[in-house]
Amino acid sequence: MTLSVGVLMDPIGAIKMAKDTSLAMLLEARRRGHSLHYFEQGDLALRDGEPWGRIAPLDVCDDPQQWHTLGPAQWRDLRELDVVLMRKDPPVDAQFIYDTMVLEAAQRGGVTVVNDPRSLRDCNEKLFSLEFPQCTAPALVARDVSELRRFTAEHGEVVLKPLDGMGGRGIFRVQAGDSNLNSMLETLLGGGAHGEGRQLVVVQKYIPEISAGDKRILVVDGDPVPYALARIPQGDDFRGNLAAGGRGVGVPLSERDRWIVSQVAPELRRRGLLFVGLDVIGDYLTEINVTSPTCARELDAQFGLNIAGQLFDVIEQHVTGNRKE
């Protein structure tokens, strides 16, 4: 089976190629003989309701000096592609939402979009995990300052997060009574510290097991990769995110990890979320990453895996099913 595979991503020339999961996917697609096509957020359009993209032919190789080559871009109907990998990084802002609407039009035309555009809109990476309370630590999502303070006082030590961030940006660890709490809330709420802010904020009970790592568990069509990447905080920083300086160490999944995946997997399959990253600290699910999950290349290198190959086995099955329909 030879497929036309498009990828919507941030500028490919700026990636960290040794760690970039999108590149791992493209390298696997190329190994399988699929043709590759590249476009960015500004290259999408709707013409009389039909999905179009300014698409450039793409070639990739595993070379740290020159990992990609682009041909001339041309406007084409997205429905000429078999697959679109939606790999645009957050924030999931209004423009991202509009992109999913264009991609949904392509999906209606028979294109397999990974992940499903509707689910990218519906499954906020911070809020989606709260649909599985049996897996999560105590948490509150609110704009009301008094409620956020009350929750902080109740649990003693918490983590504050924005709803649309990534890579550990905008995350604060704070104890009840900390004189900086008001300032943190002002920053995250986008309003004053004595009333209601304009933006919802997540406050979550602090999980001390973060010292052993924030585990990224990759899930392909509901099935977990058997190893997680534990992102271990370094120095005085409590955040394990690799983008925030955390160190990645591969570890086998625990029984609790597998149980968490079993709780979440049926809903992932139902929503067409073929490639997802679960974040687990200690015994608790903290986030479900659906936009552009990473860490595949690190796990491949440490354990001799081919996670992108597992994903493309699933994608090819989906395309075959679409063609039969």
Side-chain angles (χ1 to χ4, degrees), residues 179-199:
S179 60
N180 291 311
L181 178 59
N182 282 353
S183 178
M184 294 176 188
L185 291 175
E186 287 176 11
T187 299
L188 291 172
L189 290 166
H194 303 290
E196 290 190 354
R198 294 190 297 271
Q199 299 169 169

Side-chain angles (χ1 to χ4, degrees), residues 215 217 252-262 282-283:
K215 287 184 286 189
I217 302 171
L253 298 191
S254 67
E255 289 187 14
R256 173 70 178 185
D257 295 335
R258 293 182 181 276
W259 179 81
I260 289 173
V261 174
S262 75
D283 287 337

Side-chain angles (χ1 to χ4, degrees), residues 14-137:
I15 65 172
K16 297 179 180 178
M17 62 86 56
K19 297 183 177 183
D20 195 86
T21 296
S22 299
L23 181 61
M25 294 177 182
L26 295 170
L27 289 167
E28 178 63 23
R30 186 182 187 279
R31 279 192 289 269
R32 294 179 179 227
H34 303 323
S35 62
L36 301 180
H37 310 271
Y38 172 86
F39 45 104
E40 297 178 15
Q41 189 170 43
D43 297 321
L44 289 181
L46 283 172
R47 296 187 180 184
D48 299 322
E50 297 180 346
W52 282 68
R54 185 168 48 204
I55 300 172
L58 170 68
D59 195 13
V60 293
C61 61
D62 207 358
D63 180 347
Q65 301 304 315
Q66 182 63 44
W67 56 85
H68 77 290
T69 304
L70 289 172
Q74 294 182 326
W75 284 101
R76 294 171 53 192
D77 191 324
L78 289 179
R79 293 170 295 185
E80 296 175 12
L81 302 174
D82 296 302
V83 178
V84 170
L85 304 173
M86 174 49 159
R87 295 287 300 174
K88 174 73 181 69
D89 284 341
V92 180
D93 54 14
Q95 299 308 311
F96 187 104
I97 297 299
Y98 303 150
D99 293 341
T100 67
M101 294 175 180
V102 178
L103 294 178
E104 190 173 359
Q107 185 185 57
R108 289 194 298 268
V111 181
T112 297
V113 182
V114 182
N115 283 311
D116 186 287
R118 291 163 295 185
S119 295
L120 291 176
R121 292 198 298 271
D122 293 345
C123 299
N124 176 274
E125 299 188 327
K126 307 296 191 296
L127 299 183
F128 188 25
S129 62
L130 302 181
E131 295 188 19
F132 307 93
Q134 71 275 26
C135 302
T136 58

